[in-house]
Amino acid sequence: MNTPLAKLQESMKKKNLTYYLIPSEDPHQSEYVDDHYKCRQFISGFTGSSGAVLAEQDSSRLWTDGRYFTQAESQIDRDRMELMKMGVSGVPTVLEYLEQHLKEGDTLALNGRTINTTYGKKLSALTTAKKASLETNHTLAEDLWTDRPAAAASEIFIHDEAYAGEAVSSKLKRVRSHMEAVSAEAHFISSLPDIAWIFNLRGNDMACTPLFYSYAWITMEGCFLFVKEHCLSDAVKDYLAKNHVSVLPYEHIGTFLKEQKASILMDPDTVSYKLYLEVKKNRILFGENPSYAMKAVKNDVQIEGLRSCHLSDGIAMTKFMCWLKQNIGSVPMTELSVSDRLEEERKKQPLYQGPSFDTICAYKEHAAMMHYSSTEESNVELKSEGLLLIDSGGQYLTGTTDVTRTFILGSITAEERRNFTLVLKSMLSLADAKFLQGCRGSSLDILARGPLWQEGIDYRCGTGHGVGHFLGVHEGPNAFRWQIRENQLDAVLVPGMVTTDEPGVYVPGQYGIRTENMLLCRKQKQNEYGSFLEFEHLTLVPIDMDGVDETLLSEKELHLLRDYHRLVFDRLSPHLTEAEADWLYSFLKI
């Protein structure tokens, strides 16, 4: 066969390589990457954002998580590639698989730019213990990809302090204070969201996420930003100069690092293994980028911005919902056409910059794939029946949104109605939490899963993730997860953190249901027991009442639902037409 995988395996045989590893990440360990770096997708055919391919000369395997099991099964060649379902009992991780199968004299090869330092050190230790070889300078997949897209190089622009709420000088001062505390002479940063946040800059090097490819080197006396210089306007160059930031070419980072002699603070989870090898002769202080936790706590300006952009997002979503509910069955609709209609509504909102991720618009059985993406080939017509799940979001200069609603298009089964209501109970339960400061996401996750676990139902993913501020829609360190694992996102929740609340039910081949709100952590009260915290709903989008079985809701849950809908109506109705406001009031039953 003349497939990319077959060609890769042929190259492996010529070079006498036993294993070849292709992860999903780019050289900055980004979650969502520019098309230029989608080598795993090129080799496997799997388009999900998370996963890794481990090829052998005559077999291959794809690892991915529970969000993508159904999608991966439909996209890979099951005759030539085995799906390894991460997190399922009995399924080894990539490292565990290599531990079981790697033999003396074997060679594990990869591109060292695409794995982080932590993982690279584990692979190095494993191959050494097995008396095998680790080769990190290969680019087999890249070399085979003859029509590979060029690397992105978008214009870099300033994210005004009026939206960011803090000056670059203040952020650098905080970073340097942390460096001083850990006795670091220099801080090397590879994480693109951290660089964008520190310097109040944004770009468009990857779809839906306003980032730009760069590196940063900060010392007590100076600061260097490595970027593609043609991406800087004169205004941005002046801005950087005023903030005492020197600019160097992006491609010179390796040479620059080789020349450094300092105690260096770096995050082993975001710096590539290849660049770590350039500086390992120095005293390396491994630790989280201090900006990682700083940017997770939104300041007052950012919080007001988030409230503003969620109002805009709620207006767009509600206008769309009104149109959808009133026209389904009479106006031709498909997954792609209604997704386009929603985008048209968002584009009408002030300060809107584009979607925060590719919209998931999934009808009936398509919604069982948590991260389904409709294409011209998979696109289907919507009818006056069943469930339509839409997970979408927007990038605004004032913040980032992420919201999921499952719409009832007509008749649904008793099981679908029950599960729709269970998911609603789960979302409301977590959003209503009152808890002492010191709790982590894992302390609260049971509030969302509880109503589903009571019925023997679960969803194979986390309950929620942090969200950046005009940055990535997925951001740590805060999250809601029930399992406590090594390197799991599970920070102590503090006021200013924003986290999604998105329980769901997914029945392969039949339907999927998810309801998602973004929650702002804020102070509730202080008393003799400590500081109590609570959540504020940022999302202002109606729940489809046509799917709710109110007999399954307790009096408290009914009260929570009505209170939420009163909030939605009070905030949105002044911005809707009279007809839309009348429809919304009647629909919400408030």
Side-chain angles (χ1 to χ4, degrees), residues 430 435 438-450 453 462-464 477-485 488-493 499 535:
L430 177 55
F435 54 98
C439 283
R440 300 175 183 270
S442 58
S443 310
L444 305 181
D445 188 89
I446 182 60
L447 296 175
R449 289 185 199 266
W453 280 4
T463 297
N478 48 304
F480 295 122
R481 304 281 190 272
W482 71 273
Q483 291 176 306
I484 300 175
R485 297 173 174 168
Q488 182 78 48
L489 294 178
D490 195 24
V492 171
L493 300 173
T499 318
F535 295 119

PDB file of all heavy atoms in Angstrom, residues 430 435 438-450 453 462-464 477-485 488-493 499 535:
ATOM      1  N   LEU A 430     -23.179  21.196  40.491  1.00  0.00           N
ATOM      2  CA  LEU A 430     -21.818  21.717  40.626  1.00  0.00           C
ATOM      3  C   LEU A 430     -21.812  23.237  40.667  1.00  0.00           C
ATOM      4  O   LEU A 430     -21.094  23.851  41.476  1.00  0.00           O
ATOM      5  CB  LEU A 430     -20.956  21.214  39.463  1.00  0.00           C
ATOM      6  CG  LEU A 430     -19.512  21.720  39.421  1.00  0.00           C
ATOM      7  CD1 LEU A 430     -18.776  21.430  40.723  1.00  0.00           C
ATOM      8  CD2 LEU A 430     -18.758  21.094  38.244  1.00  0.00           C
ATOM      9  N   PHE A 435     -18.108  26.108  49.115  1.00  0.00           N
ATOM     10  CA  PHE A 435     -16.995  25.288  49.587  1.00  0.00           C
ATOM     11  C   PHE A 435     -15.912  26.159  50.217  1.00  0.00           C
ATOM     12  O   PHE A 435     -15.775  27.349  49.896  1.00  0.00           O
ATOM     13  CB  PHE A 435     -16.412  24.475  48.431  1.00  0.00           C
ATOM     14  CG  PHE A 435     -16.003  25.302  47.225  1.00  0.00           C
ATOM     15  CD1 PHE A 435     -14.687  25.689  47.024  1.00  0.00           C
ATOM     16  CD2 PHE A 435     -16.958  25.695  46.291  1.00  0.00           C
ATOM     17  CE1 PHE A 435     -14.319  26.451  45.930  1.00  0.00           C
ATOM     18  CE2 PHE A 435     -16.601  26.460  45.182  1.00  0.00           C
ATOM     19  CZ  PHE A 435     -15.284  26.838  45.000  1.00  0.00           C
ATOM     20  N   GLY A 438      -9.349  26.147  49.533  1.00  0.00           N
ATOM     21  CA  GLY A 438      -8.460  25.022  49.762  1.00  0.00           C
ATOM     22  C   GLY A 438      -8.923  23.802  48.993  1.00  0.00           C
ATOM     23  O   GLY A 438      -8.151  22.875  48.749  1.00  0.00           O
ATOM     24  N   CYS A 439     -10.197  23.814  48.590  1.00  0.00           N
ATOM     25  CA  CYS A 439     -10.717  22.720  47.768  1.00  0.00           C
ATOM     26  C   CYS A 439     -10.115  22.773  46.369  1.00  0.00           C
ATOM     27  O   CYS A 439      -9.844  23.845  45.832  1.00  0.00           O
ATOM     28  CB  CYS A 439     -12.238  22.804  47.660  1.00  0.00           C
ATOM     29  SG  CYS A 439     -13.137  22.241  49.113  1.00  0.00           S
ATOM     30  N   ARG A 440      -9.943  21.595  45.812  1.00  0.00           N
ATOM     31  CA  ARG A 440      -9.503  21.466  44.424  1.00  0.00           C
ATOM     32  C   ARG A 440     -10.676  21.031  43.559  1.00  0.00           C
ATOM     33  O   ARG A 440     -11.732  20.662  44.077  1.00  0.00           O
ATOM     34  CB  ARG A 440      -8.366  20.437  44.326  1.00  0.00           C
ATOM     35  CG  ARG A 440      -7.134  20.817  45.154  1.00  0.00           C
ATOM     36  CD  ARG A 440      -6.096  19.707  45.130  1.00  0.00           C
ATOM     37  NE  ARG A 440      -4.950  20.051  45.988  1.00  0.00           N
ATOM     38  CZ  ARG A 440      -3.886  20.708  45.577  1.00  0.00           C
ATOM     39  NH1 ARG A 440      -3.794  21.088  44.311  1.00  0.00           N
ATOM     40  NH2 ARG A 440      -2.899  20.985  46.400  1.00  0.00           N
ATOM     41  N   GLY A 441     -10.472  21.013  42.258  1.00  0.00           N
ATOM     42  CA  GLY A 441     -11.525  20.547  41.375  1.00  0.00           C
ATOM     43  C   GLY A 441     -11.950  19.126  41.692  1.00  0.00           C
ATOM     44  O   GLY A 441     -13.129  18.777  41.595  1.00  0.00           O
ATOM     45  N   SER A 442     -10.979  18.290  42.073  1.00  0.00           N
ATOM     46  CA  SER A 442     -11.300  16.902  42.409  1.00  0.00           C
ATOM     47  C   SER A 442     -12.179  16.799  43.645  1.00  0.00           C
ATOM     48  O   SER A 442     -12.868  15.798  43.835  1.00  0.00           O
ATOM     49  CB  SER A 442     -10.020  16.091  42.609  1.00  0.00           C
ATOM     50  OG  SER A 442      -9.214  16.663  43.629  1.00  0.00           O
ATOM     51  N   SER A 443     -12.164  17.830  44.504  1.00  0.00           N
ATOM     52  CA  SER A 443     -13.023  17.838  45.691  1.00  0.00           C
ATOM     53  C   SER A 443     -14.489  18.004  45.311  1.00  0.00           C
ATOM     54  O   SER A 443     -15.379  17.576  46.048  1.00  0.00           O
ATOM     55  CB  SER A 443     -12.621  18.977  46.634  1.00  0.00           C
ATOM     56  OG  SER A 443     -11.239  18.998  46.900  1.00  0.00           O
ATOM     57  N   LEU A 444     -14.744  18.642  44.169  1.00  0.00           N
ATOM     58  CA  LEU A 444     -16.107  19.020  43.798  1.00  0.00           C
ATOM     59  C   LEU A 444     -16.686  18.223  42.637  1.00  0.00           C
ATOM     60  O   LEU A 444     -17.890  18.279  42.392  1.00  0.00           O
ATOM     61  CB  LEU A 444     -16.136  20.512  43.427  1.00  0.00           C
ATOM     62  CG  LEU A 444     -15.600  21.496  44.477  1.00  0.00           C
ATOM     63  CD1 LEU A 444     -15.720  22.924  43.961  1.00  0.00           C
ATOM     64  CD2 LEU A 444     -16.325  21.343  45.796  1.00  0.00           C
ATOM     65  N   ASP A 445     -15.861  17.481  41.935  1.00  0.00           N
ATOM     66  CA  ASP A 445     -16.310  16.797  40.726  1.00  0.00           C
ATOM     67  C   ASP A 445     -17.505  15.879  40.990  1.00  0.00           C
ATOM     68  O   ASP A 445     -18.399  15.741  40.148  1.00  0.00           O
ATOM     69  CB  ASP A 445     -15.152  15.996  40.126  1.00  0.00           C
ATOM     70  CG  ASP A 445     -15.493  15.419  38.765  1.00  0.00           C
ATOM     71  OD1 ASP A 445     -15.270  16.116  37.761  1.00  0.00           O
ATOM     72  OD2 ASP A 445     -15.999  14.281  38.713  1.00  0.00           O
ATOM     73  N   ILE A 446     -17.563  15.260  42.143  1.00  0.00           N
ATOM     74  CA  ILE A 446     -18.648  14.340  42.480  1.00  0.00           C
ATOM     75  C   ILE A 446     -20.010  15.029  42.436  1.00  0.00           C
ATOM     76  O   ILE A 446     -21.038  14.395  42.188  1.00  0.00           O
ATOM     77  CB  ILE A 446     -18.411  13.711  43.872  1.00  0.00           C
ATOM     78  CG1 ILE A 446     -19.512  12.704  44.232  1.00  0.00           C
ATOM     79  CG2 ILE A 446     -18.329  14.783  44.944  1.00  0.00           C
ATOM     80  CD1 ILE A 446     -19.647  11.546  43.296  1.00  0.00           C
ATOM     81  N   LEU A 447     -20.031  16.340  42.653  1.00  0.00           N
ATOM     82  CA  LEU A 447     -21.302  17.061  42.598  1.00  0.00           C
ATOM     83  C   LEU A 447     -21.925  16.972  41.209  1.00  0.00           C
ATOM     84  O   LEU A 447     -23.153  16.915  41.070  1.00  0.00           O
ATOM     85  CB  LEU A 447     -21.101  18.529  42.991  1.00  0.00           C
ATOM     86  CG  LEU A 447     -20.646  18.766  44.433  1.00  0.00           C
ATOM     87  CD1 LEU A 447     -20.367  20.253  44.648  1.00  0.00           C
ATOM     88  CD2 LEU A 447     -21.673  18.256  45.422  1.00  0.00           C
ATOM     89  N   ALA A 448     -21.090  16.963  40.192  1.00  0.00           N
ATOM     90  CA  ALA A 448     -21.594  16.833  38.826  1.00  0.00           C
ATOM     91  C   ALA A 448     -21.862  15.380  38.460  1.00  0.00           C
ATOM     92  O   ALA A 448     -22.880  15.063  37.837  1.00  0.00           O
ATOM     93  CB  ALA A 448     -20.611  17.450  37.842  1.00  0.00           C
ATOM     94  N   ARG A 449     -20.964  14.496  38.830  1.00  0.00           N
ATOM     95  CA  ARG A 449     -21.139  13.095  38.433  1.00  0.00           C
ATOM     96  C   ARG A 449     -22.190  12.368  39.271  1.00  0.00           C
ATOM     97  O   ARG A 449     -22.759  11.365  38.832  1.00  0.00           O
ATOM     98  CB  ARG A 449     -19.801  12.350  38.534  1.00  0.00           C
ATOM     99  CG  ARG A 449     -18.815  12.771  37.478  1.00  0.00           C
ATOM    100  CD  ARG A 449     -17.543  11.953  37.503  1.00  0.00           C
ATOM    101  NE  ARG A 449     -16.494  12.660  36.814  1.00  0.00           N
ATOM    102  CZ  ARG A 449     -16.201  12.489  35.522  1.00  0.00           C
ATOM    103  NH1 ARG A 449     -16.871  11.610  34.799  1.00  0.00           N
ATOM    104  NH2 ARG A 449     -15.237  13.190  34.955  1.00  0.00           N
ATOM    105  N   GLY A 450     -22.441  12.873  40.486  1.00  0.00           N
ATOM    106  CA  GLY A 450     -23.336  12.173  41.399  1.00  0.00           C
ATOM    107  C   GLY A 450     -24.679  11.774  40.813  1.00  0.00           C
ATOM    108  O   GLY A 450     -25.073  10.594  40.883  1.00  0.00           O
ATOM    109  N   TRP A 453     -23.937   9.006  38.312  1.00  0.00           N
ATOM    110  CA  TRP A 453     -23.443   7.785  38.944  1.00  0.00           C
ATOM    111  C   TRP A 453     -24.570   7.046  39.671  1.00  0.00           C
ATOM    112  O   TRP A 453     -24.578   5.816  39.732  1.00  0.00           O
ATOM    113  CB  TRP A 453     -22.313   8.125  39.916  1.00  0.00           C
ATOM    114  CG  TRP A 453     -20.987   8.340  39.232  1.00  0.00           C
ATOM    115  CD1 TRP A 453     -20.738   8.329  37.891  1.00  0.00           C
ATOM    116  CD2 TRP A 453     -19.730   8.602  39.855  1.00  0.00           C
ATOM    117  NE1 TRP A 453     -19.398   8.577  37.639  1.00  0.00           N
ATOM    118  CE2 TRP A 453     -18.762   8.746  38.831  1.00  0.00           C
ATOM    119  CE3 TRP A 453     -19.319   8.743  41.178  1.00  0.00           C
ATOM    120  CZ2 TRP A 453     -17.418   8.998  39.087  1.00  0.00           C
ATOM    121  CZ3 TRP A 453     -17.971   8.999  41.442  1.00  0.00           C
ATOM    122  CH2 TRP A 453     -17.034   9.125  40.420  1.00  0.00           C
ATOM    123  N   GLY A 462     -13.117  14.693  31.691  1.00  0.00           N
ATOM    124  CA  GLY A 462     -13.271  15.549  32.849  1.00  0.00           C
ATOM    125  C   GLY A 462     -14.599  16.273  32.802  1.00  0.00           C
ATOM    126  O   GLY A 462     -15.267  16.346  31.759  1.00  0.00           O
ATOM    127  N   THR A 463     -14.975  16.844  33.934  1.00  0.00           N
ATOM    128  CA  THR A 463     -16.219  17.617  34.001  1.00  0.00           C
ATOM    129  C   THR A 463     -16.011  19.041  33.517  1.00  0.00           C
ATOM    130  O   THR A 463     -16.948  19.676  33.023  1.00  0.00           O
ATOM    131  CB  THR A 463     -16.762  17.621  35.440  1.00  0.00           C
ATOM    132  OG1 THR A 463     -17.075  16.280  35.811  1.00  0.00           O
ATOM    133  CG2 THR A 463     -17.998  18.480  35.590  1.00  0.00           C
ATOM    134  N   GLY A 464     -14.789  19.569  33.649  1.00  0.00           N
ATOM    135  CA  GLY A 464     -14.568  20.942  33.227  1.00  0.00           C
ATOM    136  C   GLY A 464     -13.104  21.302  33.168  1.00  0.00           C
ATOM    137  O   GLY A 464     -12.255  20.652  33.785  1.00  0.00           O
ATOM    138  N   PRO A 477      -4.236  25.934  35.604  1.00  0.00           N
ATOM    139  CA  PRO A 477      -4.118  24.614  36.236  1.00  0.00           C
ATOM    140  C   PRO A 477      -5.425  24.117  36.843  1.00  0.00           C
ATOM    141  O   PRO A 477      -5.479  23.029  37.388  1.00  0.00           O
ATOM    142  CB  PRO A 477      -3.086  24.867  37.331  1.00  0.00           C
ATOM    143  CG  PRO A 477      -3.354  26.283  37.751  1.00  0.00           C
ATOM    144  CD  PRO A 477      -3.741  27.011  36.498  1.00  0.00           C
ATOM    145  N   ASN A 478      -6.492  24.907  36.781  1.00  0.00           N
ATOM    146  CA  ASN A 478      -7.764  24.522  37.388  1.00  0.00           C
ATOM    147  C   ASN A 478      -8.568  23.644  36.444  1.00  0.00           C
ATOM    148  O   ASN A 478      -8.539  23.809  35.227  1.00  0.00           O
ATOM    149  CB  ASN A 478      -8.574  25.762  37.778  1.00  0.00           C
ATOM    150  CG  ASN A 478      -8.647  26.790  36.671  1.00  0.00           C
ATOM    151  OD1 ASN A 478      -7.623  27.251  36.170  1.00  0.00           O
ATOM    152  ND2 ASN A 478      -9.846  27.169  36.271  1.00  0.00           N
ATOM    153  N   ALA A 479      -9.297  22.694  37.022  1.00  0.00           N
ATOM    154  CA  ALA A 479     -10.137  21.785  36.260  1.00  0.00           C
ATOM    155  C   ALA A 479     -11.028  21.035  37.240  1.00  0.00           C
ATOM    156  O   ALA A 479     -10.806  21.059  38.450  1.00  0.00           O
ATOM    157  CB  ALA A 479      -9.289  20.798  35.449  1.00  0.00           C
ATOM    158  N   PHE A 480     -12.031  20.363  36.703  1.00  0.00           N
ATOM    159  CA  PHE A 480     -12.844  19.433  37.486  1.00  0.00           C
ATOM    160  C   PHE A 480     -12.578  18.027  36.959  1.00  0.00           C
ATOM    161  O   PHE A 480     -12.875  17.722  35.799  1.00  0.00           O
ATOM    162  CB  PHE A 480     -14.340  19.753  37.352  1.00  0.00           C
ATOM    163  CG  PHE A 480     -14.735  21.088  37.928  1.00  0.00           C
ATOM    164  CD1 PHE A 480     -15.348  22.047  37.140  1.00  0.00           C
ATOM    165  CD2 PHE A 480     -14.502  21.383  39.266  1.00  0.00           C
ATOM    166  CE1 PHE A 480     -15.728  23.274  37.662  1.00  0.00           C
ATOM    167  CE2 PHE A 480     -14.868  22.616  39.795  1.00  0.00           C
ATOM    168  CZ  PHE A 480     -15.480  23.555  38.993  1.00  0.00           C
ATOM    169  N   ARG A 481     -12.000  17.174  37.791  1.00  0.00           N
ATOM    170  CA  ARG A 481     -11.708  15.781  37.466  1.00  0.00           C
ATOM    171  C   ARG A 481     -12.003  14.932  38.700  1.00  0.00           C
ATOM    172  O   ARG A 481     -11.802  15.373  39.819  1.00  0.00           O
ATOM    173  CB  ARG A 481     -10.230  15.597  37.089  1.00  0.00           C
ATOM    174  CG  ARG A 481      -9.729  16.471  35.946  1.00  0.00           C
ATOM    175  CD  ARG A 481     -10.156  15.906  34.607  1.00  0.00           C
ATOM    176  NE  ARG A 481      -9.508  16.580  33.508  1.00  0.00           N
ATOM    177  CZ  ARG A 481      -9.946  17.671  32.905  1.00  0.00           C
ATOM    178  NH1 ARG A 481     -11.046  18.245  33.340  1.00  0.00           N
ATOM    179  NH2 ARG A 481      -9.305  18.203  31.890  1.00  0.00           N
ATOM    180  N   TRP A 482     -12.446  13.706  38.502  1.00  0.00           N
ATOM    181  CA  TRP A 482     -12.721  12.873  39.669  1.00  0.00           C
ATOM    182  C   TRP A 482     -11.518  12.035  40.061  1.00  0.00           C
ATOM    183  O   TRP A 482     -11.353  11.676  41.231  1.00  0.00           O
ATOM    184  CB  TRP A 482     -13.935  11.969  39.439  1.00  0.00           C
ATOM    185  CG  TRP A 482     -13.747  10.837  38.461  1.00  0.00           C
ATOM    186  CD1 TRP A 482     -13.919  10.876  37.115  1.00  0.00           C
ATOM    187  CD2 TRP A 482     -13.374   9.490  38.774  1.00  0.00           C
ATOM    188  NE1 TRP A 482     -13.676   9.645  36.557  1.00  0.00           N
ATOM    189  CE2 TRP A 482     -13.342   8.770  37.550  1.00  0.00           C
ATOM    190  CE3 TRP A 482     -13.061   8.814  39.949  1.00  0.00           C
ATOM    191  CZ2 TRP A 482     -13.016   7.414  37.482  1.00  0.00           C
ATOM    192  CZ3 TRP A 482     -12.732   7.467  39.877  1.00  0.00           C
ATOM    193  CH2 TRP A 482     -12.711   6.778  38.652  1.00  0.00           C
ATOM    194  N   GLN A 483     -10.652  11.728  39.103  1.00  0.00           N
ATOM    195  CA  GLN A 483      -9.482  10.910  39.407  1.00  0.00           C
ATOM    196  C   GLN A 483      -8.290  11.796  39.748  1.00  0.00           C
ATOM    197  O   GLN A 483      -8.097  12.853  39.160  1.00  0.00           O
ATOM    198  CB  GLN A 483      -9.130  10.021  38.213  1.00  0.00           C
ATOM    199  CG  GLN A 483     -10.151   8.914  37.957  1.00  0.00           C
ATOM    200  CD  GLN A 483      -9.812   8.121  36.712  1.00  0.00           C
ATOM    201  OE1 GLN A 483      -9.638   8.701  35.635  1.00  0.00           O
ATOM    202  NE2 GLN A 483      -9.724   6.814  36.827  1.00  0.00           N
ATOM    203  N   ILE A 484      -7.507  11.355  40.702  1.00  0.00           N
ATOM    204  CA  ILE A 484      -6.291  12.062  41.079  1.00  0.00           C
ATOM    205  C   ILE A 484      -5.118  11.286  40.511  1.00  0.00           C
ATOM    206  O   ILE A 484      -4.825  10.167  40.933  1.00  0.00           O
ATOM    207  CB  ILE A 484      -6.178  12.197  42.611  1.00  0.00           C
ATOM    208  CG1 ILE A 484      -7.381  12.970  43.158  1.00  0.00           C
ATOM    209  CG2 ILE A 484      -4.872  12.899  42.992  1.00  0.00           C
ATOM    210  CD1 ILE A 484      -7.423  13.043  44.672  1.00  0.00           C
ATOM    211  N   ARG A 485      -4.468  11.881  39.519  1.00  0.00           N
ATOM    212  CA  ARG A 485      -3.352  11.221  38.846  1.00  0.00           C
ATOM    213  C   ARG A 485      -2.143  12.140  38.815  1.00  0.00           C
ATOM    214  O   ARG A 485      -2.255  13.352  38.986  1.00  0.00           O
ATOM    215  CB  ARG A 485      -3.740  10.870  37.399  1.00  0.00           C
ATOM    216  CG  ARG A 485      -4.882   9.868  37.258  1.00  0.00           C
ATOM    217  CD  ARG A 485      -5.277   9.745  35.801  1.00  0.00           C
ATOM    218  NE  ARG A 485      -6.273   8.714  35.582  1.00  0.00           N
ATOM    219  CZ  ARG A 485      -6.941   8.566  34.441  1.00  0.00           C
ATOM    220  NH1 ARG A 485      -6.708   9.392  33.438  1.00  0.00           N
ATOM    221  NH2 ARG A 485      -7.830   7.604  34.304  1.00  0.00           N
ATOM    222  N   GLN A 488      -2.053  15.546  36.826  1.00  0.00           N
ATOM    223  CA  GLN A 488      -3.453  15.879  36.540  1.00  0.00           C
ATOM    224  C   GLN A 488      -3.711  17.347  36.880  1.00  0.00           C
ATOM    225  O   GLN A 488      -3.233  17.847  37.895  1.00  0.00           O
ATOM    226  CB  GLN A 488      -4.378  15.009  37.400  1.00  0.00           C
ATOM    227  CG  GLN A 488      -5.856  15.227  37.172  1.00  0.00           C
ATOM    228  CD  GLN A 488      -6.364  14.549  35.917  1.00  0.00           C
ATOM    229  OE1 GLN A 488      -6.091  13.394  35.663  1.00  0.00           O
ATOM    230  NE2 GLN A 488      -7.096  15.290  35.120  1.00  0.00           N
ATOM    231  N   LEU A 489      -4.456  18.043  36.033  1.00  0.00           N
ATOM    232  CA  LEU A 489      -4.859  19.416  36.337  1.00  0.00           C
ATOM    233  C   LEU A 489      -5.792  19.383  37.542  1.00  0.00           C
ATOM    234  O   LEU A 489      -6.891  18.837  37.467  1.00  0.00           O
ATOM    235  CB  LEU A 489      -5.563  20.045  35.140  1.00  0.00           C
ATOM    236  CG  LEU A 489      -4.722  20.274  33.882  1.00  0.00           C
ATOM    237  CD1 LEU A 489      -5.593  20.852  32.774  1.00  0.00           C
ATOM    238  CD2 LEU A 489      -3.546  21.174  34.160  1.00  0.00           C
ATOM    239  N   ASP A 490      -5.366  19.951  38.661  1.00  0.00           N
ATOM    240  CA  ASP A 490      -6.182  19.862  39.871  1.00  0.00           C
ATOM    241  C   ASP A 490      -5.732  20.918  40.876  1.00  0.00           C
ATOM    242  O   ASP A 490      -5.453  20.616  42.034  1.00  0.00           O
ATOM    243  CB  ASP A 490      -6.079  18.459  40.473  1.00  0.00           C
ATOM    244  CG  ASP A 490      -7.160  18.184  41.512  1.00  0.00           C
ATOM    245  OD1 ASP A 490      -8.221  18.842  41.441  1.00  0.00           O
ATOM    246  OD2 ASP A 490      -6.945  17.328  42.382  1.00  0.00           O
ATOM    247  N   ALA A 491      -5.697  22.166  40.452  1.00  0.00           N
ATOM    248  CA  ALA A 491      -5.219  23.243  41.316  1.00  0.00           C
ATOM    249  C   ALA A 491      -6.245  23.565  42.400  1.00  0.00           C
ATOM    250  O   ALA A 491      -7.438  23.303  42.252  1.00  0.00           O
ATOM    251  CB  ALA A 491      -4.947  24.496  40.487  1.00  0.00           C
ATOM    252  N   VAL A 492      -5.746  24.155  43.478  1.00  0.00           N
ATOM    253  CA  VAL A 492      -6.645  24.718  44.486  1.00  0.00           C
ATOM    254  C   VAL A 492      -7.433  25.846  43.826  1.00  0.00           C
ATOM    255  O   VAL A 492      -6.871  26.700  43.143  1.00  0.00           O
ATOM    256  CB  VAL A 492      -5.844  25.246  45.691  1.00  0.00           C
ATOM    257  CG1 VAL A 492      -6.753  26.031  46.636  1.00  0.00           C
ATOM    258  CG2 VAL A 492      -5.180  24.098  46.431  1.00  0.00           C
ATOM    259  N   LEU A 493      -8.742  25.829  44.012  1.00  0.00           N
ATOM    260  CA  LEU A 493      -9.599  26.839  43.396  1.00  0.00           C
ATOM    261  C   LEU A 493      -9.558  28.127  44.198  1.00  0.00           C
ATOM    262  O   LEU A 493      -9.710  28.109  45.424  1.00  0.00           O
ATOM    263  CB  LEU A 493     -11.037  26.320  43.311  1.00  0.00           C
ATOM    264  CG  LEU A 493     -11.213  25.040  42.483  1.00  0.00           C
ATOM    265  CD1 LEU A 493     -12.638  24.509  42.614  1.00  0.00           C
ATOM    266  CD2 LEU A 493     -10.866  25.269  41.018  1.00  0.00           C
ATOM    267  N   THR A 499     -13.790  28.186  35.188  1.00  0.00           N
ATOM    268  CA  THR A 499     -13.768  26.767  34.850  1.00  0.00           C
ATOM    269  C   THR A 499     -15.103  26.372  34.227  1.00  0.00           C
ATOM    270  O   THR A 499     -16.151  26.861  34.647  1.00  0.00           O
ATOM    271  CB  THR A 499     -13.527  25.909  36.103  1.00  0.00           C
ATOM    272  OG1 THR A 499     -12.516  26.499  36.928  1.00  0.00           O
ATOM    273  CG2 THR A 499     -13.091  24.502  35.727  1.00  0.00           C
ATOM    274  N   PHE A 535     -19.640  29.832  43.056  1.00  0.00           N
ATOM    275  CA  PHE A 535     -19.496  30.082  41.626  1.00  0.00           C
ATOM    276  C   PHE A 535     -20.555  31.057  41.132  1.00  0.00           C
ATOM    277  O   PHE A 535     -21.679  31.081  41.627  1.00  0.00           O
ATOM    278  CB  PHE A 535     -19.614  28.784  40.829  1.00  0.00           C
ATOM    279  CG  PHE A 535     -18.521  27.792  41.084  1.00  0.00           C
ATOM    280  CD1 PHE A 535     -18.799  26.532  41.602  1.00  0.00           C
ATOM    281  CD2 PHE A 535     -17.197  28.105  40.814  1.00  0.00           C
ATOM    282  CE1 PHE A 535     -17.806  25.612  41.837  1.00  0.00           C
ATOM    283  CE2 PHE A 535     -16.176  27.196  41.048  1.00  0.00           C
ATOM    284  CZ  PHE A 535     -16.483  25.946  41.569  1.00  0.00           C
TER     285      PHE A 535
END
